[in-house]
Amino acid sequence: HSASPFFSTYMLGELGLNLKTISFLTILGSFSRVLISRFWGHYADRKSFASMFEKCLILMGIAFLFTAFATPQNGKIFFALYYIFHGAAMAGTNSALINLVYDYSKVETRSQSLAICQAIPGLVGFIATIAFGALVSSVQENENRFLGMPIYAQQVASVITVLIIIATIIFVPTVIKKMRNQD
């Protein structure tokens, strides 16, 4: 919710992509998600949902790295790679998050835990979008440059997103994997 809400305007505006290209990229991401979903299911069965989530976060971080370096010169390629990696990551992320609730909460509190785990990200996502909206506006108004190259607001948001993902990747083995099932 920090960078991706602003990608449509970035692709249409700064990167100069047309709607057909953006639609194709979206379809590409959906195919990526479909193609890897079964793999993630088998992986989670062999390892764990926490391990799967950790690997999905790595793919998600790679996806946002591509958008952090997307420019008008490479936008089609880098956003194609973003959609492929993002789709592959999301193929496992959603099921991992739901199943982690089942793995780590008591049977009698699972439905409440699941409801909380669905509500909190919605609220945090809303707040993040508002906060990053202010950041995007500020960067766009100032026309920032780095080493003589223009810095786009969505690149800044993507870098911050990568840092958040790295923190989450660290959180999984240090906190989630150390938790014991409450059953």
Side-chain angles (χ1 to χ4, degrees):
H1 297 287
S2 52
S4 54
F6 309 100
F7 286 165
S8 296
T9 59
Y10 186 48
M11 289 187 286
L12 285 169
E14 291 92 332
L15 300 183
L17 304 180
N18 61 42
L19 290 176
K20 284 183 185 178
T21 301
I22 294 169
S23 295
F24 173 76
L25 294 175
T26 303
I27 292 167
L28 186 65
S30 295
F31 275 122
S32 171
R33 186 173 181 159
V34 167
L35 292 174
I36 201 161
S37 288
R38 189 170 273 215
F39 165 79
W40 284 130
H42 293 301
Y43 184 87
D45 288 342
R46 285 190 323 272
K47 302 289 184 175
S48 68
F49 285 104
S51 291
M52 180 179 74
F53 183 48
E54 188 175 25
K55 303 304 180 273
C56 289
L57 285 169
I58 292 168
L59 291 178
M60 188 71 70
I62 293 168
F64 281 98
L65 272 177
F66 284 117
T67 61
F69 293 102
T71 65
Q73 293 77 24
N74 63 21
K76 281 183 189 176
I77 294 167
F78 278 28
F79 263 89
L81 292 168
Y82 161 78
Y83 276 102
I84 290 168
F85 278 88
H86 186 268
M90 290 306 294
T93 300
N94 287 338
S95 66
L97 292 173
I98 291 169
N99 283 292
L100 283 171
V101 171
Y102 289 108
D103 283 350
Y104 292 102
S105 62
K106 294 179 182 178
V107 173
E108 57 272 6
T109 62
R110 283 186 180 157
S111 48
Q112 294 94 334
S113 299
L114 191 57
I116 290 169
C117 288
Q118 298 296 313
I120 290 173
L123 178 62
V124 171
F126 176 73
I127 293 167
T129 302
I130 291 171
F132 275 79
L135 172 73
V136 166
S137 294
S138 175
V139 173
Q140 287 174 333
E141 289 169 5
N142 292 315
E143 296 181 18
N144 295 310
R145 298 185 88 66
F146 180 72
L147 299 174
M149 298 179 299
I151 298 296
Y152 300 103
Q154 291 81 353
Q155 291 175 313
V156 174
S158 292
V159 168
I160 295 170
T161 300
V162 169
L163 296 174
I164 293 167
I165 292 170
I166 289 169
T168 308
I169 291 169
I170 293 168
F171 179 80
V172 172
T174 57
V175 177
I176 293 177
K177 285 184 175 181
K178 289 183 178 182
M179 294 171 62
R180 294 206 314 240
N181 190 328
Q182 303 296 317
D183 285 340

